[in-house]
Amino acid sequence: MSVAVLPHTVKPHPITGVYSGKLGIWLFLASEVMLFGALFSSYVLLRVGAPAEGPAAWPSHADTHLSWKIGGINTLVLIISSVTMVMAWAELKMNNFTKGRWYLAATLALALTFIVVKLAFEYIPKFQHGLLPSTNNFFALYFTMTGLHGLHVLGGVIVIAWFLLPGSGLWHKDPEYFTNRIECTGLYWHFVDLVWIFLFPVMYLL
Amino acid sequence: MAGAHADISKHKRAYYAVFAALAVLTVVTVAVAQFHFSDVGNVAVALAIAAFKASLVAAIFMHLKWEKAPSIWWALAICGIFFIALLALPVLTNSDNPPQVQHTMWDVRAGAAPAAHTSH
Amino acid sequence: MTEAHHHHDDHHHHPELGWWRKYVFSTDHKVIGVQYTVTALLFLLFGFTLVMIMRWQLAYPGKPIPLIGGLLGKTLANDGTLLPEGYNALGAMHGTIMVFLGIVPLIVGGFGNYVMPLQIGAPDMAFPKLNMASYWVYFCGGMVMLLSFFAPGGAANSGWTSYAPLSVVATQGQTWWLFGMVLLITSSLLGSINFIVTIIQLRAKGLDFFKLPFFVWSQFVTAFLLLLAFPPLEAAGALQLMDRLAGTSFFMPEGLVVSGIVQPYTGGGSPLLWQHLFWFLAHPEVYVLILPAMGMVAEVIANNTRKPLWGYRLMVYSVIFLGFMSFIVWAHHMFITGMGTRISAFFATTTMIISIPSVIILTALVISLYRSSIRYNVPMLFALAFLPMFAIGGLTGLPLGLPAADIQLHDTYYVIGHFHYVVAPGTIFAAFAGIYHWYPKVTGRTMNPALGKIHFVLSFIFINVVFMPMFFQGMAGVSRRLFDQTFYQHGLDVQGWTQLSSWGAWMLGLSQVPFIMNFFMSLRAGRKVSDNPWEATTLEWAAPSPPPHGNFATVPVVYRGPYEYSVPGQKKDFFPQHLAKAEA
């Protein structure tokens, strides 16, 4: 219910050069940087401070049982999904609603692929082999950080699915508003990709 | 509008180029990790590649290359400074304590545990 | 928003919102501001009640609590006598409720939401639905905290700081606390994004950053603190939940023994990690508690001295610098954890540096009083009292910022006295000043000045009776979390001060009765006043009282700075920001 018409929700503010939603999503991403930053900081502190031996020692590379192949495939899946996301925005910007929607659907499919791979080939086999968050601090960090990242992917899935189906009606009312929303969704989605770009080497390779 | 379309077409080429770069760098980072240089060396190489990939995503996919709004840049700059403080300062906490102090500080072993505090 | 205008913009909707959408699930920043204010005041009263119960145990250890002792649940008291576990739960929940459910929602969620958009000439916040979500998430967080009292083992009892490993092995209430905190953090995250975007995007035409009222500046900096400092605590909360629910050892050392039982944790974790992540939030949080208070006091002082604020730009630069520095002083809370000397010296230095901008702001406010004809109305009395009270709170903090002195004073009543002087007679007095000052804008009526003055005088006397003795107790070495300090001789020696402090607290509670009466009675019986009863210059007074949905009848344009009082050559002693020419 918009009784008072708020300025700068769709068109950029003439002086600041952004519409409000885009500034909002960037501020949100800044807070996300601090959220994941705290977790990476915890990783550094715990790894540096880990005892040299005993059950709490940092596991060797072989003992982590993480496959760089599965991690690498998921990395590629997320990278491709980032491309399709940005293409969706580009097509909408050029007024190609149908094409833009197909790219959005592709992004959704790739996001779901990431989650399925993560669960079916990584989490569930790990649990079956008794590798749990409580096993040691490496697995504690692995499950917490990739789990939180996974929740972010899930959040992206929900938002993209919304704009793919019920939310797409906005295009017919106000195409620019809808394109802006896809841009904001994209900014979030690329950030999720960006976090994974750091998580992949830190968890699978180092 | 025509100008905007031409811009977007140029963007699209950039998107594909970045995709290719990200894919290649993913392979490179895996390949490099199979060699052991030194503890610090491997971390440095892996993080350098990741940072480069991340900056490609931020610059092209997130349009920072074309972003002019000062408010966004200010927010990111402030966030960057505090991010560095958050990463650096906790790990420096014990940097000049002797190693045994660093270790025993939170490594209270069963035998050495202080008597249970009797709160009144 | 007039009916005619309304139909013009938006003919698809029915013009009248239903009762639920108008007063409960409203997206109007003013309704949300009032919701925040009322909820936060209730939580302040509740948190204060908790501490009044604790003060009985401190003054008369082991004696049954009169009047309400029998009402306390089994986890808190036995036959009306407070249990040690109950005391711990009350202490932890007092801190949590006052900070996260009382003061921040009051001065940021309440005052910030109501006043800030009006002061910048905006029709609403930039994201009205997000604003509503922010309030309701806060409300749910508050309910989780309240319900945690009924959890098995009672509410969280590991202190408001929830230090590990104690908090990890604590009773179930701690899990509730963590879930409540996640909700509260989410709420302030949504709020802070909204505040920043609103201030950047929705300022009225002509309102440059250096024409913003100081209150808006304080909210702007505060929003950045909330935005960037809270996520690490959210991360820490997630890690602690993992420790408690999934058996991880993020904060757990190897082979920890509690009450003779070896804990089933793999170990390798670091209790210090919790402290780092907690204080990375909680130190900026201290400035979240004080900056908006400074902003409110600045508004009231400029208005009642009838002079421009002295050093407005200097104050703005100081508040920005304060916000910036507040992120790199946090480990001064951790000097006795065995940190290295080099890093301690770093944090001691940054702590000394951060006192400079605080002193600049306080000094600028004091200089603003010089040679002015002060109007001693109720808001001004509270604002004037803020200055020395905040000064006591601030200056007693300096010894705590220096490791050598802090080792003596850490975790004693001195610390309690120090930060309560900052937040109780500091921030809460500023909030009272704000309530008396902006009440006419919200309701169109003033609060009764006689009752207000009684409230002020009694509060001022008793709040000092509560907190001043704590410095003496602390210097005597009494630890802050003792259930019964008379157990120790050094505590017994200063027990008289403890009893005085307790009586001060109960009298302070009674002193709020005139305020509560005044607050509700003035809704109907208060004197009706014009839109600008204080003859103020800032934009909120250009809107009708109470402002309608959409705020301004005509979109204001700003021509000058915020505090153009007593401009030479003008007929009236105030020159509002939105007037092109002075009124004849």
Side-chain angles (χ1 to χ4, degrees):
Chain A
M1 180 85 196
S2 55
V3 175
V5 177
L6 283 170
H8 320 305
T9 45
V10 180
K11 295 277 181 200
H13 187 295
I15 298 169
T16 62
V18 282
Y19 56 91
S20 298
K22 189 169 168 183
L23 182 57
I25 200 83
W26 270 109
L27 291 168
F28 174 68
L29 294 184
S31 85
E32 292 279 88
V33 168
M34 299 306 280
L35 178 70
F36 282 100
L39 293 174
F40 278 106
S41 186
S42 307
Y43 176 96
V44 174
L45 194 86
L46 291 176
R47 186 163 183 175
V48 170
E53 59 207 33
W58 202 260
S60 78
H61 211 280
D63 291 337
T64 64
H65 302 286
L66 287 185
S67 157
W68 60 260
K69 286 172 198 153
I70 301 173
I73 288 168
N74 252 350
T75 309
L76 286 174
V77 167
L78 270 195
I79 291 173
I80 298 169
S81 80
S82 251
V83 179
T84 54
M85 186 76 225
V86 78
M87 290 303 289
W89 171 79
E91 292 299 342
L92 289 175
K93 196 86 184 159
M94 293 194 297
N95 241 338
N96 299 332
F97 179 61
T98 319
K99 260 184 153 180
R101 232 175 148 190
W102 275 113
Y103 275 119
L104 213 54
T107 313
L108 184 66
L110 288 161
L112 289 170
T113 310
F114 179 89
I115 293 176
V116 168
V117 170
K118 194 92 211 139
L119 287 178
F121 297 102
E122 295 200 296
Y123 275 26
I124 293 170
K126 289 278 172 306
F127 289 146
Q128 283 167 346
H129 291 110
L131 296 170
L132 302 171
S134 56
T135 303
N136 56 39
N137 267 343
F138 173 81
F139 279 107
L141 282 163
Y142 167 76
F143 282 111
T144 308
M145 293 175 82
T146 58
L148 194 67
H149 177 265
L151 286 179
H152 278 77
V153 175
L154 192 64
V157 165
I158 292 167
V159 174
I160 293 167
W162 170 262
F163 285 122
L164 195 60
L165 297 165
S168 66
L170 184 62
W171 170 267
H172 305 291
K173 272 190 233 155
D174 189 344
E176 190 174 4
Y177 199 11
F178 184 74
T179 310
N180 284 348
R181 292 202 153 177
I182 295 301
E183 186 182 19
C184 291
T185 311
L187 286 171
Y188 169 80
W189 189 251
H190 301 313
F191 176 79
V192 173
D193 184 20
L194 199 149
V195 171
W196 184 259
I197 285 175
F198 282 100
L199 275 177
F200 173 60
V202 166
M203 291 296 166
Y204 291 80
L205 301 177
L206 291 177
Chain B
M1 246 353 230
H5 278 210
D7 273 355
I8 304 272
S9 301
K10 257 191 247 166
H11 282 198
K12 275 193 193 168
R13 253 172 285 155
Y15 300 151
Y16 289 126
V18 167
F19 166 65
L22 292 176
V24 170
L25 285 170
T26 304
V27 177
V28 170
T29 192
V30 171
V32 170
Q34 310 307 314
F35 301 100
H36 189 81
F37 309 110
S38 65
D39 285 350
V40 180
N42 277 43
V43 173
V45 170
L47 287 187
I49 294 173
F52 184 66
K53 285 167 75 180
S55 54
L56 281 179
V57 171
I60 307 299
F61 288 168
M62 300 172 88
H63 303 133
L64 277 184
K65 190 184 165 199
W66 301 282
E67 187 59 69
K68 292 196 188 74
S71 48
I72 290 176
W73 285 105
W74 272 107
L76 290 179
I78 295 167
C79 175
I81 293 167
F82 297 143
F83 175 74
I84 291 167
L86 177 61
L87 275 184
L89 291 175
V91 79
L92 291 175
T93 311
N94 303 311
S95 57
D96 61 340
N97 275 346
Q100 69 275 18
V101 176
Q102 287 183 31
H103 195 239
T104 51
M105 240 174 30
W106 53 74
D107 192 13
V108 187
R109 284 177 193 281
H117 179 68
T118 45
S119 85
H120 177 72
Chain C
M1 166 83 31
T2 60
E3 283 297 284
H5 193 178
H6 186 117
H7 281 290
H8 186 70
D9 297 338
D10 210 314
H11 14 216
H12 299 295
H13 294 281
H14 195 266
E16 265 307 304
L17 290 164
W19 184 85
W20 282 94
R21 286 298 310 277
K22 204 167 171 185
Y23 297 109
V24 182
F25 297 105
S26 173
T27 54
D28 183 347
H29 74 99
K30 296 179 295 296
V31 178
I32 297 168
V34 172
Q35 287 175 328
Y36 259 119
T37 305
V38 172
T39 317
L41 285 172
L42 288 173
F43 273 118
L44 280 178
L45 189 63
F46 180 67
F48 187 45
T49 309
L50 298 186
V51 89
M52 285 196 284
I53 297 169
M54 293 167 73
R55 292 293 335 172
W56 177 267
Q57 162 64 25
L58 289 172
Y60 304 104
K63 298 238 171 68
I65 302 161
L67 303 176
I68 57 167
L71 301 175
L72 300 175
K74 280 206 165 62
T75 55
L76 292 174
N78 180 23
D79 286 338
T81 308
L82 203 58
L83 295 165
E85 296 80 9
Y87 179 85
N88 284 344
L90 292 182
M93 295 312 285
H94 165 72
T96 305
I97 287 171
M98 287 310 218
V99 171
F100 297 108
L101 289 162
I103 295 179
V104 176
L106 177 64
I107 62 178
V108 180
F111 284 102
N113 242 318
Y114 198 100
V115 177
M116 185 274 285
L118 286 167
Q119 283 195 329
I120 64 172
D124 205 319
M125 297 285 267
F127 308 115
K129 282 181 196 154
L130 210 60
N131 204 12
M132 178 179 85
S134 163
Y135 172 76
W136 285 106
V137 174
Y138 154 72
F139 184 83
C140 293
M143 287 305 116
V144 170
M145 291 289 185
L146 286 184
L147 286 175
S148 76
F149 278 98
F150 302 102
N157 47 23
S158 311
W160 82 284
T161 53
S162 286
Y163 274 8
L166 180 66
S167 54
V168 176
V169 298
T171 51
Q172 203 196 76
Q174 182 65 22
T175 305
W176 289 65
W177 186 90
L178 288 164
F179 277 116
M181 283 307 295
V182 168
L183 291 172
L184 295 177
I185 293 168
T186 308
S187 158
S188 37
L189 186 68
L190 300 178
S192 62
I193 292 172
N194 216 341
F195 275 52
I196 297 172
V197 175
T198 305
I199 294 173
I200 290 178
Q201 295 281 87
L202 298 185
R203 278 170 292 130
K205 200 173 162 223
L207 188 58
D208 310 331
F209 266 96
F210 278 102
K211 286 183 186 148
L212 286 177
F214 187 68
F215 178 71
V216 177
W217 267 109
S218 70
Q219 291 287 343
F220 189 57
V221 175
T222 301
F224 267 103
L225 301 186
L226 289 173
L227 180 76
L228 298 176
F230 254 128
L233 185 64
E234 190 144 29
L239 298 184
Q240 200 179 89
L241 274 176
M242 290 292 284
D243 273 8
R244 290 180 59 87
L245 301 178
T248 59
S249 312
F250 289 114
F251 307 122
M252 300 305 276
E254 200 178 334
L256 180 75
V257 178
V258 177
S259 309
I261 299 161
V262 181
Q263 295 296 303
Y265 288 93
T266 320
S270 162
L272 271 194
L273 175 61
W274 170 264
Q275 297 194 20
H276 275 301
L277 295 178
F278 180 83
W279 288 113
F280 188 90
L281 154 87
H283 201 82
E285 179 79 7
V286 172
Y287 291 88
V288 171
L289 296 172
I290 196 66
L291 296 185
M294 288 173 168
M296 286 190 265
V297 167
E299 297 299 306
V300 173
I301 283 185
N303 177 241
N304 290 305
T305 55
R306 315 306 290 166
K307 267 174 57 182
L309 282 180
W310 187 89
Y312 165 78
R313 267 182 187 254
L314 193 61
M315 287 172 71
V316 169
Y317 292 132
S318 297
V319 81
I320 295 170
F321 186 63
L322 259 180
F324 187 83
M325 289 300 289
S326 72
F327 278 92
I328 47 172
V329 297
W330 81 82
H332 66 212
H333 296 271
M334 300 163 59
F335 284 141
I336 63 161
T337 58
M339 288 197 305
T341 46
R342 245 182 268 154
I343 201 85
S344 293
F346 171 82
F347 281 108
T349 311
T350 52
T351 306
M352 292 303 113
I353 292 172
I354 202 173
S355 62
I356 297 169
S358 320
V359 170
I360 290 176
I361 292 175
L362 198 60
T363 311
L365 290 173
V366 172
I367 297 175
S368 298
L369 303 175
Y370 181 60
R371 298 186 70 174
S372 62
S373 49
I374 299 174
R375 295 192 309 206
Y376 290 100
N377 51 27
V378 181
M380 187 60 173
L381 291 173
F382 276 104
L384 286 174
F386 169 89
L387 300 176
M389 294 295 103
F390 174 68
I392 294 174
L395 293 175
T396 51
L398 288 178
L400 298 172
L402 296 165
D406 182 61
I407 287 168
Q408 299 298 317
L409 296 170
H410 191 91
D411 258 354
T412 65
Y413 269 97
Y414 182 91
V415 179
I416 305 277
H418 151 66
F419 71 73
H420 278 90
Y421 260 99
V422 175
V423 286
T427 302
I428 293 180
F429 271 26
F432 280 136
I435 290 172
Y436 285 102
H437 184 67
W438 280 300
Y439 194 90
K441 181 50 58 189
V442 181
T443 62
R445 296 169 187 270
T446 50
M447 288 172 81
N448 183 312
L451 279 174
K453 280 175 187 168
I454 295 170
H455 172 221
F456 168 73
V457 172
L458 293 177
S459 296
F460 184 75
I461 293 169
F462 288 118
I463 211 156
N464 281 290
V465 174
V466 179
F467 297 119
M468 193 57 83
M470 291 188 181
F471 291 125
F472 311 142
Q473 288 175 276
M475 302 257 226
V478 180
S479 174
R480 65 188 275 193
R481 296 198 201 274
L482 289 179
F483 174 58
D484 174 7
Q485 67 179 51
T486 59
F487 180 73
Y488 300 102
Q489 184 59 44
H490 70 279
L492 198 56
D493 291 344
V494 291
Q495 180 66 6
W497 287 118
T498 309
Q499 289 174 344
L500 180 66
S501 179
S502 289
W503 279 100
W506 302 323
M507 290 298 123
L508 183 63
L510 281 180
S511 312
Q512 305 315 304
V513 173
F515 170 73
I516 296 168
M517 284 166 51
N518 200 351
F519 190 87
F520 288 105
M521 280 162 50
S522 301
L523 286 175
R524 287 189 178 277
R527 190 168 55 86
K528 277 195 178 172
V529 288
S530 68
D531 291 345
N532 189 2
W534 308 113
E535 304 195 308
T537 51
T538 42
L539 283 181
E540 77 268 35
W541 304 103
S545 299
H549 201 167
N551 292 345
F552 295 93
T554 50
V555 179
V557 179
V558 171
Y559 296 95
R560 61 190 57 75
Y563 306 115
E564 299 280 312
Y565 288 103
S566 305
V567 180
Q570 296 285 342
K571 201 170 173 191
K572 284 192 172 171
D573 72 344
F574 67 107
F575 200 172
Q577 285 189 284
H578 66 286
L579 293 185
K581 286 186 186 142
E583 288 172 70

